[in-house]
Amino acid sequence: MLTLTPVVCMLSGIAFSGLLDLFFKEDAIQRPEESEPEESSAVSSKLYDKAGRVPKMKHEQQPRETDPIGPNVRSIILVVIMLLLMLFAVHCTWVTSNAYSSPSVVLASYSADGSRQILDDFREAYFWLSQNTADHARVMSWWDYGYQIAGMANRTTLVDNNTWNNSHIALVGKAMSSNESAAYEIMTALDVDYVLVIFGGVIGYSGDDINKFLWMVRIAEGEHPKDIRESDYFTENGEFRVDSQGAPTLLNCLMYKLSYYRFGELKLDYRTAAGYDRTRNTVIGNKDFTLTYLEEAYTTEHWLVRIYRVKKPDEFNRPRIPVANRLVKSTSFSSKKNSKRKKGSIKNKPVVIKGKRLSKQS
Ligand SMILES: *[C@@H]1O[C@H](CO)[C@@H](O)[C@H](O)[C@H]1NC(C)=O
Ligand SMILES: *[C@@H]1O[C@H](CO)[C@@H](O)[C@H](O)[C@H]1NC(C)=O
Ligand SMILES: *[C@@H]1O[C@H](CO)[C@@H](O)[C@H](O)[C@H]1NC(C)=O
Ligand SMILES: *[C@@H]1O[C@H](CO)[C@@H](O)[C@H](O)[C@H]1NC(C)=O
């Protein structure tokens, strides 16, 4: 649509110019006739000399003076055109501020009372990524956000708009459509540190990853037809649904889990049940699940962007050790070191534990 705007503008410019030309020209033609009686009398006298008839000339002039439209109608038309042009200027300003210059990373929503709310979740998430992750962290997301992450968070992405090689995109699609354990294998093979998904269920944003999910499945199926089958993600009736009647493959795939992790506990408002997805207008089907291979790292204010950290192989299925317990362990560790040092296995190596430098004599 927007690419057509210049063409439409030029065409309407030509149309208006033609229209105004028409009305102003008639004015210009008429005025000399009305304001120069001498010339007309001279002409009439000439005609009188030749043809010998004055009345006929007056009759000829009569229809010219009363122009077919009438001055009132003409000025009304001119005012209407001016009003249209003024409205057009207002419209142009609106379009430019909304479509051309409104950055698509910042979303605006209108609440029921008409007030505007700015959703800055994308920038929030990218800023978090840039501040809280290692410089060389690799972020896996669907390719639509590849350039944004690279540009705004300065982190390496796996896939972006440079789609000339389909195999990486298909691999990311396969990871998103597989169950957690199968996805973990792909993610370790690709050296992924973080996974970023876009989830619109809380605010009703329809351009999120669940709505794009079938494309991921299709692209993955194109390259890996043995592992991914699009039909697995549909119900028997051929429906794509995320509620309790949805296909089990869908309810257990990585994209579903990353989008809906902890969402089952969330009650958006008193009218809806917990876990009600506003984008798809349904209560999600798989509410109680935990993540084994990933952990939630960050979720933005409106849950629009969710970032997960991929655990390292030594981290899963282990209870998290609270910081207090770690302190106890570090003391036993230091005594071990001392005994080892006495045996002479580690020499002249100062060990720093919790900011305390242990010298050899201690
Ligand atoms: C982006 O990250 C690299 C290191 O990964 C760093 O050298 C570079 O300065 C960063 N660029 C900006 C604009 O922060
Ligand atoms: C990348 O693709 C997305 C989705 O199609 C699009 O919104 C975005 O503008 C593209 N970015 C660039 C830099 O081409
Ligand atoms: C696309 O990427 C895959 C995986 O990195 C590679 O094996 C393949 O050769 C690439 N294709 C082309 C056309 O470069
Ligand atoms: C995950 O998917 C793989 C391959 O599709 C399958 O072999 C495995 O049994 C699945 N794991 C679970 C827990 O469903």
Side-chain angles (χ1 to χ4, degrees), residues 15-32:
F16 270 116
S17 145
L19 215 60
L20 290 176
D21 247 13
L22 188 74
F23 287 109
F24 282 123
K25 242 180 205 159
E26 280 192 5
D27 250 9
I29 291 167
Q30 220 178 342
R31 251 176 227 140

Side-chain angles (χ1 to χ4, degrees), residues 140-159:
M140 181 171 92
S141 72
W142 192 231
W143 60 271
D144 297 13
Y145 317 107
Y147 277 144
Q148 280 183 1
I149 295 169
M152 296 181 72
N154 194 17
R155 290 293 173 268
T156 313
T157 57
L158 296 180
V159 288

Side-chain angles (χ1 to χ4, degrees), residues 164-304:
W164 61 272
N165 189 343
N166 216 19
S167 28
H168 270 110
I169 295 185
L171 218 48
V172 170
K174 188 183 169 192
M176 295 294 191
S177 351
S178 309
N179 62 30
E180 223 189 317
S181 49
Y184 185 72
E185 276 170 32
I186 299 171
M187 291 189 295
T188 23
L190 293 174
D191 257 348
V192 176
D193 297 307
Y194 290 90
V195 184
L196 181 147
V197 296
I198 307 295
F199 172 61
V202 174
I203 51 163
Y205 174 63
S206 60
D208 68 352
D209 277 347
I210 297 276
N211 278 1
K212 291 176 186 171
F213 183 61
L214 279 181
W215 284 106
M216 303 182 198
V217 174
R218 275 172 207 154
I219 292 172
E221 187 183 13
E223 295 266 327
H224 310 276
K226 277 184 209 146
D227 302 311
I228 306 289
R229 272 171 306 275
E230 195 185 337
S231 53
D232 291 348
Y233 297 85
F234 287 105
T235 60
E236 277 144 25
N237 303 328
E239 285 172 299
F240 180 76
R241 36 197 315 177
V242 296
D243 58 9
S244 49
Q245 277 143 52
T249 320
L250 173 66
L251 299 195
N252 287 300
C253 73
L254 185 71
M255 176 53 79
Y256 187 94
K257 286 194 168 180
L258 296 191
S259 290
Y260 290 123
Y261 180 59
R262 290 198 302 115
F263 186 67
E265 307 156 14
L266 186 74
K267 210 162 150 56
L268 288 176
D269 75 65
Y270 64 94
R271 276 165 298 178
T272 55
Y276 181 81
D277 182 332
R278 282 193 180 151
T279 306
R280 286 152 284 270
N281 293 323
T282 170
V283 175
I284 59 166
N286 190 359
K287 281 184 187 173
D288 298 317
F289 57 82
T290 52
L291 296 171
T292 314
Y293 301 97
L294 294 108
E295 69 176 1
E296 187 179 6
Y298 188 68
T299 294
T300 57
E301 190 187 348
H302 303 98
W303 289 47
L304 194 54

Side-chain angles (χ1 to χ4, degrees), residues 302-315:
H302 303 98
W303 289 47
L304 194 54
V305 185
R306 311 196 70 182
I307 300 170
Y308 292 85
R309 193 179 69 84
V310 181
K311 290 186 188 169
K312 297 280 170 273
D314 58 344
E315 282 177 278

